[in-house]
Amino acid sequence: MTRIGVVAIMLLLAGCQGVQSPLAPGGDQATALHNLFLLMMAVCGGIYALVLVGLGWSLRRVRSAGQAAEVPERSLWGAAIVIVIGLTVLIVGSFVADRAVFASRRQGAMMVRVTGHQWWWRIEYRDPATGRWIETANELHLPLDRTTRVALGSADVIHSFWVPNVAGKLDMIPGRRNVLDLTPRRVGWFRGQCAEFCGTQHAHMALDVKVESVAAFEAWLTEQARPAPSPASRGAAVFANACAVCHAIRGTGASGRVGPDLTHLASRKSIAAGTLTMTRGNLQGWITQPQALKPGTSMPAVPLSGPDADALAAYMESLK
């Protein structure tokens, strides 16, 4: 086998695992779609193999007879029967998968709203204790073995919500809410992605998804519901003057809705919808030069002095 062939096989196998692969299902809905994929591969692959066998048999008959041989009528009937059976199996399999994906909605599911923006995700959880909505951004937390009902919408153009390890993709359309149920069965971090071209930074519109135990999820949600501390610091003052018009921090006077809610920003895994890891240096770089890191983003560069930028980044890093 050539080196190119080995590399090609390795690349193909690499797509079967990972945190963003439909071939490594970690939830009921993803498993249903994965089973449908395997069924389609088996049925279509079997029919393809039969076609190749028929083609080989025909070529052999032509060579041995010296002229085109008439195909027996029973062979045509046999092929028709195989095709009908294969299509019937696929129709039944598609129906079963559809029921598994969209008919699992039941009472008691946790409600979450996800709204697509160019190019980030607004995420809101309904607090089961108070009924209030708890807002965060770019990071979706899900309780293990429980169904979460996600209402998907868009604030601007058509986006598409896709976390392949957990469920299939569903469009996010301005002016309406599409509903998708997620029932994860495996803990860990997964990666979501906007699957509909939505502008310049479509490729960098990622979504971190964490599946955790029910106890861990409830503790996390309780922490997210708390307001942020409001220290009398230089960084907090800089934020109030430069950032509060666009961003909200619960517990402070900042109540902007243009950009993501930053109440517990530092508890997240990344910055700017998966573009940067959460570090103080990346925070400062994002604040001062967002266009250099994510061209086309609506986040404007904030003209700050070096000490002010450092103080603001330190304040942002404290929002856990």
Side-chain angles (χ1 to χ4, degrees):
M1 184 180 294
T2 65
R3 183 176 301 178
I4 295 177
V6 172
V7 172
I9 292 174
M10 292 177 64
L11 290 174
L12 289 173
L13 292 176
C16 298
Q17 295 295 326
V19 297
Q20 192 178 7
S21 172
L23 300 180
D28 288 356
Q29 293 75 20
T31 298
L33 296 174
H34 180 255
N35 291 340
L36 178 61
F37 168 75
L38 294 179
L39 178 65
M40 294 183 69
M41 288 291 290
V43 172
C44 296
I47 292 177
Y48 181 66
L50 289 176
V51 170
L52 292 181
V53 169
L55 178 61
W57 175 80
S58 300
L59 292 175
R60 184 175 180 181
R61 286 283 301 270
V62 169
R63 288 180 179 178
S64 61
Q67 57 184 356
E70 184 176 345
V71 179
E73 185 175 346
R74 64 177 181 274
S75 298
L76 296 177
W77 278 107
I81 292 172
V82 169
I83 292 172
V84 170
I85 292 175
L87 290 176
T88 303
V89 170
L90 291 180
I91 291 172
V92 173
S94 298
F95 177 80
V96 171
D98 179 78
R99 294 301 88 194
V101 171
F102 293 106
S104 63
R105 299 167 190 167
R106 47 187 176 268
Q107 297 298 322
M110 185 183 68
M111 294 296 301
V112 175
R113 294 191 303 217
V114 178
T115 305
H117 294 257
Q118 290 177 307
W119 292 270
W120 59 280
W121 310 84
R122 187 187 303 276
I123 304 174
E124 301 164 281
Y125 301 81
R126 184 185 288 279
D127 189 338
T130 64
R132 295 186 299 108
W133 290 97
I134 302 169
E135 184 172 327
T136 180
N138 298 328
E139 191 172 292
L140 178 64
H141 285 239
L142 299 172
L144 182 69
D145 297 330
R146 286 192 179 178
T147 298
T148 300
R149 187 169 303 167
V150 183
L152 303 170
S154 173
D156 34 56
V157 300
I158 295 176
H159 300 280
S160 185
F161 179 89
W162 190 35
V163 187
N165 297 80
V166 182
K169 64 184 70 171
L170 191 62
D171 281 350
M172 310 168 78
I173 302 173
R176 65 173 294 174
R177 287 280 178 182
N178 290 331
V179 179
L180 181 67
D181 281 354
L182 307 177
T183 311
R185 300 296 184 185
R186 180 155 51 93
V187 298
W189 283 97
F190 302 101
R191 187 178 188 272
Q193 180 71 45
C194 177
E196 181 80 23
F197 180 74
C198 55
T200 306
Q201 286 296 325
H202 161 72
H204 291 158
M205 189 173 172
L207 176 69
D208 292 317
V209 179
K210 185 178 184 180
V211 178
E212 52 198 340
S213 67
V214 174
F217 171 80
E218 290 177 347
W220 173 85
L221 189 62
T222 298
E223 187 64 29
Q224 292 294 308
R226 295 192 178 116
S230 182
S233 65
R234 179 173 182 171
V238 173
F239 183 91
N241 291 329
C243 312
V245 174
C246 295
H247 297 281
I249 296 180
R250 296 190 305 276
T252 73
S255 57
R257 295 283 295 170
V258 177
D261 185 294
L262 303 179
T263 304
H264 296 284
L265 170 67
S267 68
R268 300 171 195 164
K269 186 179 181 181
S270 61
I271 310 168
T275 304
L276 302 167
T277 55
M278 182 63 68
T279 66
R280 184 168 174 177
N282 284 340
L283 279 169
Q284 187 166 340
W286 176 252
I287 292 166
T288 56
Q289 293 293 332
Q291 295 298 327
L293 300 172
K294 196 170 184 178
T297 182
S298 298
M299 169 79 176
V302 183
L304 298 173
S305 65
D308 280 350
D310 187 60
L312 179 56
Y315 171 62
M316 303 267 60
E317 192 180 32
S318 72
L319 298 176
K320 296 182 179 180

